Amino acid sequence: MPPPADIVKVAIEWPGAYPKLMEIDQKKPLSAIIKEVCDGWSLPNHEYYALQHADSSNFYITEKNRNEIKNGTILRLTKSPAQNAQQLHERIQSSSMDAKLEALKDLASLSRDVTFAQEFINLDGISLLTQMVESGTERYQKLQKIMKPCFGDMLSFTLTAFVELMDHGIVSWDTFSVAFIKKIASFVNKSAIDISILQRSLAILESMVLNSHDLYQKVAQEITIGQLIPHLQGSDQEIQTYTIAVINALFLKAPDDRRQEMANILAQKQLRSIILTHVIRAQRAINNEMAHQLYVLQVLTFNLLEDRMMTKMDPQDQAQRDIIFELRRIAFDAESEPNNSSGSMEKRKSMYTRDYKKLGFINHVNPAMDFTQTPPGMLALDNMLYFAKHHQDAYIRIVLENSSREDKHECPFGRSSIELTKMLCEILKVGELPSETCNDFHPMFFTHDRSFEEFFCICIQLLNKTWKEMRATSEDFNKVMQVVKEQVMRALTTKPSSLDQFKSKLQNLSYTEILKIRQSERMNQEDFQSRPILELKEKIQPEILELIKQQRLNRLVEGTCFRKLNARRRQDKFWYCRLSPNHKVLHYGDLEESPQGEVPHDSLQDKLPVADIKAVVTGKDCPHMKEKGALKQNKEVLELAFSILYDSNCQLNFIAPDKHESFTTQLFREKVHL
């Protein structure tokens, strides 16, 4: 006969004693269970003890998480969180360097546990650590030469404990002094510093910037891009990643009027070139976290275009009108202007109207009106002028070539440029916040200081080429734009390493090739729409639905790996969740690295009975989407978020790896309803 559902069989360890096999009654108070364990080893004062997992996590068992204990779990009897916190609070203030170092090492490890963290923070432990960083480093400065390894380890453990404690979100970032910020910044600004100290310091600065507007301003005063650049020129990818993360945080939190200034500084310091040389083209693979930070930098850089994209042209602004005059001058190279007489004024207007028509503007009389729609606003005109000046031969060829065609077959350069700019902004999501889960950066955009403009120049020539291949007329304009978008999107998915390689990819995606791809896809689709197929589908539909149901359940049983997110930054830490084969329990737990295949149930330390699930919520209804965060409120993250609610105020929070995996939400929902 199976044991009652509330009885869990575990092993409990105690130093110097044989492990004790025990049946835990989950209905009994945790304090009563701890007293029973202590009595078995004749240990007095059971209130000074607690149970914790004996695995690498060492997390404390509490009334809140005790239901996660499963049969076969190995627990350890240890000091209570309050006792441990009090003793460590005293030990880290020891006058003995060795004792202090050992205490800080223990503190760095235990601070990952939220139960311990709360107790240590209640003792004003965060303030103690900040004081140690501010003054303690100076106190041991004289000992650095003779005890440098010890000093470096001590500071590293101090900063690690600080980072872990702050990650729990218990203490506000707004509470820290300027002296502490200056000290952390000084570690980053030093040319020679221990790698672990530099890593933690960069992480702290990033969190300060992302979580507090006041701290952003203070950090921005202490850290310059020039001081961060050298860390990108080293060989440690983790340090490079943290450095780009700090740059991204400063970029993201900068006021609108400061972002362009910051972008100019990044250009002056040749950040793009340094990243291309030392990160993207370095002789090593780019890990997921680095790919994410490069993606964020790419998005933030393109978002600088938003202001021009959303700026309408003022038809009365002479400086803006002069840009259109310059486009006309470059294209037609008027050697002389008619005399400024009343008679010649009419000729001039007539000539301008004719030329503006050749340039492909919709409004031939006043082409400035073509740029009053946002998006793309003035950004389209900027692109046209860049193309005319930097690719002058191609520009003149396109304009003159189309002006010599029959009216019905000419490709309107002006209209095409405006619509193309709008389309490229949509593809690159200009103006949208970066996603917390996306790694989709494009190396080719790091190969040129004016990558968006060059991107446009390649695509406008592609558009003209495709127009000719399609033998298009003005009525086919939208069809041509659809084909061009497909060509660009298909080329981008190959992740070309340079703009030239992107251009080569487009050469292989001619209109004829696109037709072949479409025909192949259409034929596959039509095969499934024939009458015999539809009749067969109707006949076997019940069986199909049952198979789909089983497939979805199998997918839940197989499980999914999720990346752990926190308030500070994305981490290369993972957790896995899967349904038990009998479909009654969800098993989940932390992983050291991304798994290669399925993760066995036995290695997942936590579980949740499906019967205890109250609801599954998605998007903005998720508890973790209601928290304040730097990048939380963007559409893509909301689409990927879902939470499983159970008991009172308990939940498992998820961010799906991508939109293809977000169907897991529906799978959980289906299981809840079964």
Side-chain angles (χ1 to χ4, degrees):
M1 181 176 177
D6 294 319
I7 302 298
V8 183
K9 295 183 178 181
V10 300
I12 301 177
E13 299 176 339
W14 173 251
Y18 288 107
K20 184 187 293 290
L21 298 178
M22 186 174 178
E23 291 186 351
I24 290 180
D25 186 351
Q26 292 286 33
K27 291 182 179 179
K28 291 176 64 175
L30 189 58
S31 58
I33 296 171
I34 293 172
K35 184 178 187 306
E36 184 180 342
V37 174
C38 290
D39 290 346
W41 277 312
S42 302
L43 298 172
N45 303 319
H46 73 275
E47 63 272 14
Y48 293 160
Y49 294 91
L51 293 173
Q52 66 179 181
H53 287 283
D55 58 18
S56 58
S57 71
N58 292 328
F59 288 160
Y60 280 101
I61 304 298
T62 65
E63 290 290 357
K64 186 176 180 180
N65 65 23
R66 61 182 294 178
N67 288 330
E68 299 172 0
I69 302 173
K70 62 183 181 180
N71 285 319
T73 299
I74 301 176
L75 303 178
R76 180 187 299 119
L77 184 68
T78 185
K79 297 172 188 173
S80 70
Q83 284 287 105
N84 244 335
Q86 182 63 52
Q87 292 179 11
L88 278 174
H89 192 273
E90 296 170 359
R91 287 170 57 202
I92 62 176
Q93 300 179 73
S94 170
S95 58
S96 166
M97 290 284 283
D98 289 338
K100 193 184 191 81
L101 178 63
E102 194 63 31
L104 286 168
K105 182 178 179 180
D106 292 342
L107 179 62
S109 175
L110 282 168
S111 294
R112 293 182 298 123
D113 184 277
V114 66
T115 309
F116 169 84
Q118 184 68 71
E119 296 290 347
F120 188 78
I121 289 170
N122 289 344
L123 297 172
D124 209 15
I126 292 285
S127 295
L128 177 58
L129 292 179
T130 57
Q131 290 169 15
M132 290 173 63
V133 172
E134 291 173 26
S135 60
T137 51
E138 295 172 5
R139 185 184 307 166
Y140 295 106
Q141 202 77 25
K142 296 178 181 178
L143 299 174
Q144 250 189 297
K145 291 184 180 179
I146 57 174
M147 303 185 70
K148 188 172 182 181
C150 179
F151 171 81
D153 290 343
M154 186 180 299
L155 183 56
S156 175
F157 289 135
T158 304
L159 295 177
T160 300
F162 176 84
V163 168
E164 296 291 353
L165 290 168
M166 290 303 298
D167 268 355
H168 296 297
I170 300 170
V171 179
S172 169
W173 283 93
D174 288 309
T175 58
F176 299 108
S177 67
V178 174
F180 180 70
I181 298 170
K182 287 179 177 289
K183 182 61 69 173
I184 297 297
S186 71
F187 300 144
V188 174
N189 293 336
K190 283 183 180 179
S191 56
I193 189 77
D194 184 86
I195 291 294
S196 61
I197 295 173
L198 176 59
Q199 182 190 94
R200 272 69 167 182
S201 299
L202 288 167
I204 292 169
L205 290 178
E206 183 200 8
S207 293
M208 287 179 172
V209 172
L210 290 178
N211 290 286
S212 169
H213 178 69
D214 289 341
L215 289 187
Y216 155 74
Q217 294 177 319
K218 293 172 183 175
V219 171
Q221 292 173 357
E222 298 297 327
I223 294 289
T224 66
I225 300 301
Q227 291 164 328
L228 292 171
I229 292 290
H231 300 311
L232 292 172
Q233 296 172 310
S235 58
D236 190 305
Q237 186 171 130
E238 197 164 2
I239 293 298
Q240 292 174 326
T241 303
Y242 277 81
T243 301
I244 296 177
V246 173
I247 293 173
N248 285 339
L250 290 169
F251 215 145
L252 184 68
K253 289 298 181 178
D256 292 341
D257 58 343
R258 280 274 298 137
R259 285 185 187 172
Q260 188 58 58
E261 180 184 339
M262 186 174 174
N264 294 336
I265 294 173
L266 295 179
Q268 291 172 9
K269 298 296 182 181
Q270 298 184 320
L271 176 70
R272 178 199 59 77
S273 178
I274 289 170
I275 289 176
L276 182 67
T277 302
H278 296 278
V279 178
I280 296 175
R281 292 181 177 172
Q283 298 300 311
R284 61 174 181 270
I286 293 177
N287 62 35
N288 288 336
E289 176 62 14
M290 174 60 84
H292 172 70
Q293 294 300 340
L294 291 173
Y295 152 78
V296 172
L297 182 59
Q298 172 185 292
V299 171
L300 295 176
T301 303
F302 283 143
N303 280 356
L304 293 170
L305 303 169
E306 184 182 13
D307 183 55
R308 294 293 282 175
M309 181 182 78
M310 300 307 294
T311 300
K312 295 181 180 181
M313 184 171 185
D314 181 359
Q316 306 305 317
D317 188 317
Q318 188 57 44
Q320 295 179 2
R321 291 169 62 87
D322 286 345
I323 299 176
I324 297 177
F325 293 152
E326 181 68 4
L327 289 173
R328 178 194 164 277
R329 185 196 66 77
I330 295 173
F332 303 112
D333 194 24
E335 295 180 357
S336 61
E337 294 291 341
N339 295 326
N340 192 18
S341 61
S342 59
S344 62
M345 182 63 72
E346 292 300 321
K347 290 183 180 179
R348 179 184 298 182
K349 286 183 178 179
S350 175
M351 179 177 64
Y352 281 6
T353 299
R354 185 188 69 240
D355 289 347
Y356 290 149
K357 183 179 179 182
K358 291 180 180 179
L359 280 170
F361 291 112
I362 296 174
N363 193 318
H364 307 152
V365 177
N366 186 7
M369 299 302 296
D370 287 16
F371 300 95
T372 56
Q373 180 187 356
T374 58
M378 288 295 293
L379 184 60
L381 189 58
D382 294 342
N383 282 340
M384 293 168 70
L385 183 62
Y386 181 91
F387 182 50
K389 286 190 170 183
H390 294 83
H391 299 270
Q392 194 171 106
D393 291 345
Y395 167 70
I396 293 173
R397 175 177 54 78
I398 287 176
V399 173
L400 296 183
E401 189 178 84
N402 284 290
S403 63
S404 63
R405 290 183 192 173
E406 296 179 26
D407 284 352
K408 65 177 184 177
H409 286 296
E410 65 182 11
C411 178
F413 173 73
R415 182 186 176 192
S416 298
S417 297
I418 292 168
E419 291 301 318
L420 179 64
T421 300
K422 181 180 178 181
M423 184 185 81
L424 298 182
C425 288
E426 290 172 354
I427 290 174
L428 298 177
K429 299 181 180 179
V430 174
E432 293 186 22
L433 282 173
S435 163
E436 286 187 342
T437 59
C438 186
N439 301 335
D440 190 25
F441 84 97
H442 294 277
M444 74 178 194
F445 291 131
F446 290 84
T447 63
H448 201 284
D449 289 328
R450 304 288 294 274
S451 59
F452 183 79
E453 289 87 343
E454 289 293 324
F455 185 42
F456 168 84
C457 293
I458 293 171
C459 293
I460 192 65
Q461 294 177 75
L462 168 72
L463 193 154
N464 189 65
K465 172 175 172 285
T466 302
W467 185 283
K468 289 189 291 186
E469 291 174 349
M470 293 177 67
R471 298 183 59 80
T473 64
S474 57
E475 288 81 10
D476 301 317
F477 186 86
N478 290 335
K479 292 180 181 179
V480 175
M481 294 305 298
Q482 290 172 5
V483 173
V484 170
K485 183 174 184 178
E486 186 173 347
Q487 290 170 315
V488 172
M489 293 291 286
R490 288 186 183 275
L492 284 177
T493 56
T494 65
K495 293 293 180 70
S497 60
S498 67
L499 290 164
D500 285 339
Q501 194 176 96
F502 173 67
K503 195 184 299 183
S504 298
K505 297 288 184 184
L506 291 175
Q507 290 292 332
N508 296 327
L509 285 169
S510 64
Y511 175 57
T512 303
E513 184 62 27
I514 292 295
L515 284 180
K516 289 180 181 178
I517 294 172
R518 286 182 174 181
Q519 185 178 7
S520 175
E521 292 174 349
R522 192 181 303 116
M523 287 178 64
N524 290 336
Q525 188 177 12
E526 287 174 353
D527 286 344
F528 288 99
Q529 296 300 320
S530 63
R531 184 173 178 180
I533 293 293
L534 291 175
E535 291 176 352
L536 178 61
K537 182 179 178 181
E538 183 178 356
K539 184 176 181 180
I540 64 174
Q541 188 174 26
E543 185 179 346
I544 291 174
L545 291 175
E546 181 61 29
L547 285 172
I548 291 172
K549 176 181 173 182
Q550 290 303 318
Q551 185 183 42
R552 290 182 174 182
L553 286 172
N554 290 340
R555 182 69 180 87
L556 283 173
V557 171
E558 179 185 332
T560 301
C561 178
F562 299 91
R563 185 177 295 277
K564 298 192 77 171
L565 301 176
N566 57 36
R568 177 165 55 91
R569 58 182 286 113
R570 284 166 37 110
Q571 291 289 332
D572 279 330
K573 295 180 181 178
F574 305 88
W575 69 296
Y576 201 89
C577 186
R578 63 179 300 182
L579 185 66
S580 62
N582 64 4
H583 304 164
K584 292 184 178 181
V585 179
L586 279 178
H587 296 269
Y588 60 97
D590 294 340
L591 301 175
E592 292 297 324
E593 57 185 6
S594 183
Q596 304 297 320
E598 289 188 22
V599 176
H601 293 93
D602 295 343
S603 64
L604 300 174
Q605 63 269 30
D606 303 313
K607 66 180 180 180
L608 169 64
V610 171
D612 291 349
I613 296 176
K614 306 299 183 186
V616 177
V617 295
T618 61
K620 63 183 180 181
D621 295 325
C622 296
H624 57 316
M625 290 295 103
K626 295 177 182 178
E627 301 166 0
K628 292 182 179 179
L631 305 176
K632 288 284 190 285
Q633 303 304 319
N634 75 72
K635 183 178 177 182
E636 186 170 354
V637 173
L638 286 174
E639 290 177 349
L640 299 176
F642 64 101
S643 298
I644 297 176
L645 309 182
Y646 64 98
D647 292 342
S648 57
N649 300 321
C650 294
Q651 68 270 332
L652 292 179
N653 295 321
F654 300 81
I655 300 288
D658 51 52
K659 290 183 180 179
H660 299 292
E661 290 288 340
S662 63
F663 75 92
T664 308
T665 313
Q666 300 304 321
L667 303 191
F668 279 121
R669 273 186 168 160
E670 178 172 328
K671 182 56 192 169
V672 170
H673 291 305
L674 287 178

